[in-house]
Amino acid sequence: TDRGARSPMSAAGCSALWLAFVLLLALALALALALSPPLAKAGGFSCSPGARPVVFNFGDSNSDTGGIAAAKGRHIALPEGRAFFHHPTGRFCDGRLIIDFLCESLNISYLSPYLKVLGSNYSNGVNFAIGGSKTLPRDVLFALHVQVQEFLFFKDRSLELINQGQETPIDAEGFQNALYTIDIGQNDINALLSNLPYDQVVAKFPPILAEIKYAVQILYDNGSRNFWIHGTGALGCLPQKLSIPRKNYSYLDQNGCLKTYNRAAVAFNAALGSLCDQLNVELKNATVVYTDLFAIKYDLVASHTKYGH
């Protein structure tokens, strides 16, 4: 699973840190999208007057807004949700996720999980992310490939109904101009690090990256043009990993994080960033914005006193 054990940081403090963090990311994304020439040629994510923004998200628990709860009937109890919603929402978080702040910055409703039957609102997009998801194996339930197939079913069915004269939450233009966000890979890396030495872990990155590339390519082939891809965070600082008993502390860096896990995260992000550069060249009239989350998340640990903790 990609869920870490809860840190001692207060809910209010955690919420404040994440607010600053995700607002910075949202600003960076907006700037990148606004300045991108290919995006302007493609019509762009900047909506025309009267049009509403649409977001489709794929990933794991870092962006799951209730998918795992809906899919498996999993009861997620307090303290999850205590800092903002004041009740559990299916998120593995005290408050909001990055995808939630993105929706707020776009002035749209929070994304509803694809598999949530009651109370869903798909007028501004759909969240296909499921906690615990990986890229591989490809056809395992809720893997990235499966999430993309769910999106294609949703889109095909929507367009079919439109052709029959019926109204749908999202029209053809909405699909074309939507932002497609992907935040996945953390669980793949964690699983590898649990069983293999560093060199062998890094050697297995190409198939993971190939799955992300394949997902973007499939979406592109079906009309998607605007992509925001997240790198992984500081895996070696997750309380879940640090809570595992060890014989000595030589595996930790100066900030108490696991060195090997963080080295792997940095290596993965470098490769993912290169892949996004490649996609920007290969995919005509598309924009692929990449955000390396490692430095931002690691700073929350390394410079925690700067944030009041």
Side-chain angles (χ1 to χ4, degrees), residues 156-166 168:
D156 290 345
R157 182 58 176 154
S158 296
L159 297 181
E160 179 183 351
L161 292 174
I162 291 172
N163 289 335
Q164 295 174 2
Q166 300 186 43
T168 60

Side-chain angles (χ1 to χ4, degrees), residues 58-76:
F58 309 86
D60 51 33
S61 69
N62 288 302
S63 58
D64 181 355
T65 54
I68 190 67
K72 294 188 175 182
R74 183 168 179 177
H75 179 68
I76 300 176

Side-chain angles (χ1 to χ4, degrees), residues 108-275:
I108 62 176
S109 59
Y110 299 126
L111 294 186
S112 295
Y114 173 66
L115 297 176
K116 184 179 178 182
V117 177
L118 300 176
S120 291
N121 176 8
Y122 299 132
S123 61
N124 293 111
V126 184
N127 194 355
F128 297 91
I130 296 285
S133 295
K134 300 193 294 182
T135 65
L136 293 168
R138 171 182 288 188
D139 294 319
V140 168
L141 194 60
F142 307 133
L144 177 60
H145 175 69
V146 174
Q147 293 180 27
V148 171
Q149 295 305 307
E150 290 175 333
F151 163 76
L152 294 179
F153 178 86
F154 179 87
K155 180 180 180 181
D156 290 345
R157 182 58 176 154
S158 296
L159 297 181
E160 179 183 351
L161 292 174
I162 291 172
N163 289 335
Q164 295 174 2
Q166 300 186 43
E167 292 187 4
T168 60
I170 301 168
D171 59 18
E173 182 180 1
F175 283 106
Q176 179 181 353
N177 293 330
L179 176 65
Y180 294 80
T181 61
I182 299 177
D183 186 349
I184 202 165
Q186 175 175 316
N187 293 323
D188 295 88
I189 302 171
N190 277 333
L192 292 173
L193 286 166
S194 298
N195 299 291
L196 298 173
Y198 174 81
D199 290 344
Q200 294 183 34
V201 169
V202 174
K204 290 184 177 294
F205 284 170
I208 300 173
L209 296 167
E211 285 301 306
I212 296 175
K213 180 180 181 180
Y214 182 73
V216 173
Q217 184 68 58
I218 292 298
L219 292 169
Y220 176 84
D221 290 343
N222 283 273
S224 307
R225 291 296 180 267
N226 309 312
F227 302 92
W228 184 19
I229 299 179
H230 292 190
T232 193
L235 303 182
C237 302
L238 292 176
Q240 178 197 54
K241 303 303 177 185
L242 295 173
S243 65
I244 300 174
R246 289 177 173 80
K247 295 181 180 180
N248 60 65
Y249 294 96
S250 63
Y251 301 102
L252 304 180
D253 65 13
Q254 68 274 19
N255 293 302
C257 299
L258 293 166
K259 291 184 284 188
T260 300
Y261 276 72
N262 279 348
R263 281 181 62 203
V266 170
F268 179 81
N269 284 354
L272 182 58
S274 296
L275 171 62

